[in-house]
Amino acid sequence: MTTVVPQPSLDGKRLAFVLAEDRLGHYPEFRMFFVRAFDLDRVGLTRPGYVQTPSGAVYALIFIGRSGEAFPSGLEIHAVVPALEPFDETAVDRDLWSILRWMIEGIGGDWTTNAMEATGRLFRIPASMDADRSPS
Amino acid sequence: MTGADLPDVVRQHWPFQPRFARTNGWRMHYVDQGVGDPVVLLHGNPTWGYLYRDFVAPLTSAGYRVIIPDMIGFGLSEKPTREHAHSLDGHIANLTALLRGLDLRRVTLVCHDWGGPTGLGFALSNIARMRALVLMSTWAWPLPPAEFHTRIFPWRTMHAPLLGPYLLGRHNALASRGVYLSVVDRERFRERAQAAYEAVLPDAASRLLTWTWPRWIPLDASARAFERFVWLERELSTCTLPSLLIWGREDDVFDPSVFVARLRQLLPHAEGPHLVTGRHFLQEDSGPEIAAHIVDFLRRVT
């Protein structure tokens, strides 16, 4: 299960950009999930949020503000990786799927992991096949 | 991309000279073949001019000038990397810049998918330049949406926040598997066309519009383009241009029993529908047949 974790030590690490969302509030419940998960009404732009996936990898969630729009308007996901080393794209892809699954579980309501997994399988997303065999 | 770097299998079916124009601040690719009254063929999400490869020869042979633009964000046109670069009004302005720049008159617009709202946006605000309309698997009103577009699985999940950039960006799900699932003869599509749609969207950032356009489809009155669709519906209902409706029998995105009926209400003088073999991307299954319908229609009305 992906979980929220404190900021890890960043000594010898870099933040590797892996995914961006320019319109987090397209469906408002998505934006509100992150506001709740990271107490963003209080924390604002002062620091990223961090999550750890079942693989043990840690990701920084960097929230984006945009004039005239509710905060956060956007979100970047960065892998916390050794500073000078290339990252494993397959592992990152699987981790992202886990983060998205955690997000959908947290949003709830009409948004279900069953629909997400079915969509992944429909489009033959490799991580959605893995998800049948491992915990999120 | 310029066209020279397309896969060989694509270039065999797309031998046309690439042309580029500055349109509304962007670099737009188009082809311009033949001589005569212009027929402008407009694609939607996530395709490009290649969708109309089987239309060029029949239309030019029949004495028409064929112009096929690639929407900004698709095909060989410039692909903005910021979501906020895209809007329905902006895309209408892009098309307007091209067609006015070419000083086209007596225009027939052939509209598919988002080529409908964008093409009709041009047509209904430049009516003096227009001659006729051909509409296929598209719409031009704010509500109600297609039932397909209201479903969590797969449509809304596919383009939801973060899921859109992941599924359609990282994995190119719409241009590859999505189009494949929305044709009838999938094997032929895989052999002849799939590479063309995948090749022009090589990287995650280049695929931005594939998950941005779905977010512009109105699901309720809070939609960003709601008022533009209200205007499109109102203006279309007063439009007297000769019009032709062509639809895929197997279209499960824009169900013909619903969408053709609504277009017939707005355009009671429209001919058709001609129902052909096809799902949403009906040009892939019935290109030559659709082109023949258009030639026949134009011979009678232009």
Side-chain angles (χ1 to χ4, degrees), chain A residues 18-24 26-27 29-30 34 66 69 75 77 89 92-93 96-97 100 103-104 110-111 115-116 118-120 122-127, chain B residues 81-84 149 152-168 170-171 173-174 177-178 181 190 208 211 214-216 219 224:
Chain A
V18 292
L19 194 69
E21 172 55 62
D22 281 338
R23 195 170 289 273
L24 194 57
H26 174 68
Y27 295 123
E29 55 269 39
F30 284 68
F34 288 99
R66 184 176 176 84
E69 294 184 11
L75 170 60
I77 301 181
E89 288 192 50
V92 165
D93 202 69
L96 285 173
W97 190 251
L100 296 174
M103 174 184 76
I104 291 295
D110 291 339
W111 300 94
M116 177 184 155
T119 304
L122 179 68
F123 293 118
R124 297 187 175 171
I125 304 302
Chain B
T81 56
R82 299 298 302 274
E83 197 261 13
H84 300 87
H149 291 141
I152 292 284
F153 168 74
W155 181 253
R156 293 175 71 193
T157 296
M158 190 177 78
H159 68 261
L162 287 168
L163 285 157
Y166 178 86
L167 294 167
L168 277 55
R170 287 179 70 88
H171 291 282
L174 193 58
R177 187 100 174 129
L181 292 171
R190 190 202 307 275
L208 170 64
W211 71 84
R215 299 178 180 181
W216 280 86
L219 297 180
R224 282 174 280 174

Side-chain angles (χ1 to χ4, degrees), chain B residues 2-302:
Chain B
T2 63
D5 42 1
L6 288 169
D8 288 345
V9 66
V10 175
R11 294 181 65 190
Q12 287 172 15
H13 300 290
W14 189 256
F16 313 113
Q17 179 188 348
R19 299 173 189 271
F20 293 90
R22 294 299 299 179
T23 58
N24 194 36
W26 306 103
R27 179 175 55 84
M28 181 180 282
H29 168 259
Y30 67 103
V31 299
D32 189 344
Q33 300 285 130
V35 177
D37 281 351
V39 179
V40 180
L41 304 167
L42 300 175
H43 70 87
N45 185 17
T47 58
W48 59 288
Y50 190 79
L51 186 66
Y52 290 109
R53 63 196 178 280
D54 291 335
F55 290 55
V56 178
L59 285 165
T60 55
S61 297
Y64 297 100
R65 179 183 178 189
V66 173
I67 294 162
I68 312 178
D70 288 347
M71 186 180 284
I72 296 299
F74 285 137
L76 304 180
S77 288
E78 184 173 355
K79 299 182 181 74
T81 56
R82 299 298 302 274
E83 197 261 13
H84 300 87
H86 293 293
S87 68
L88 176 53
D89 283 357
H91 279 279
I92 294 170
N94 297 341
L95 179 64
T96 299
L98 178 72
L99 303 190
R100 280 198 196 144
L102 295 172
D103 195 23
L104 299 187
R105 295 169 192 281
R106 295 179 56 80
V107 176
T108 295
L109 280 185
V110 178
C111 304
H112 175 251
D113 190 77
W114 275 101
T118 53
L120 292 171
F122 168 81
L124 298 170
S125 57
N126 293 268
I127 204 77
R129 292 181 182 269
M130 291 297 303
R131 184 65 189 93
L133 293 171
V134 179
L135 303 178
M136 304 186 290
S137 198
T138 190
W139 87 114
W141 51 84
L143 294 173
E147 192 273 337
F148 176 84
H149 291 141
T150 66
R151 295 183 203 157
I152 292 284
F153 168 74
W155 181 253
R156 293 175 71 193
T157 296
M158 190 177 78
H159 68 261
L162 287 168
L163 285 157
Y166 178 86
L167 294 167
L168 277 55
R170 287 179 70 88
H171 291 282
N172 205 14
L174 193 58
S176 57
R177 187 100 174 129
V179 180
Y180 171 85
L181 292 171
S182 294
V183 302
V184 172
D185 189 340
R186 291 170 177 166
E187 199 53 42
R188 187 176 67 169
F189 173 77
R190 190 202 307 275
E191 290 172 2
R192 300 186 185 181
Q194 186 155 1
Y197 299 118
E198 294 179 348
V200 295
L201 299 172
D203 309 303
S206 72
R207 302 164 189 153
L208 170 64
L209 192 51
T210 70
W211 71 84
T212 298
W213 263 144
R215 299 178 180 181
W216 280 86
I217 296 173
L219 297 180
D220 57 41
S222 69
R224 282 174 280 174
F226 191 85
E227 292 303 322
R228 180 57 59 216
F229 277 99
V230 169
W231 175 85
L232 283 169
E233 180 178 30
R234 185 176 67 237
E235 295 300 312
L236 193 61
S237 70
T238 67
C239 176
T240 58
L241 289 171
S243 301
L244 173 64
L245 308 179
I246 304 175
W247 231 262
R249 283 186 203 90
E250 295 86 355
D251 191 337
D252 48 9
V253 175
F254 294 100
D255 182 341
S257 69
V258 176
F259 282 79
V260 170
R262 184 77 178 268
L263 282 170
R264 289 302 304 268
Q265 286 178 346
L266 293 171
L267 297 167
H269 60 285
E271 294 187 22
H274 291 297
L275 295 177
V276 300
T277 298
R279 287 194 167 89
H280 179 53
F281 299 99
L282 61 163
Q283 299 95 326
E284 285 296 336
D285 286 297
S286 298
E289 182 182 351
I290 297 169
H293 282 308
I294 294 172
V295 168
D296 176 64
F297 167 69
L298 292 179
R299 279 185 174 145
R300 286 184 285 105
V301 304
T302 61

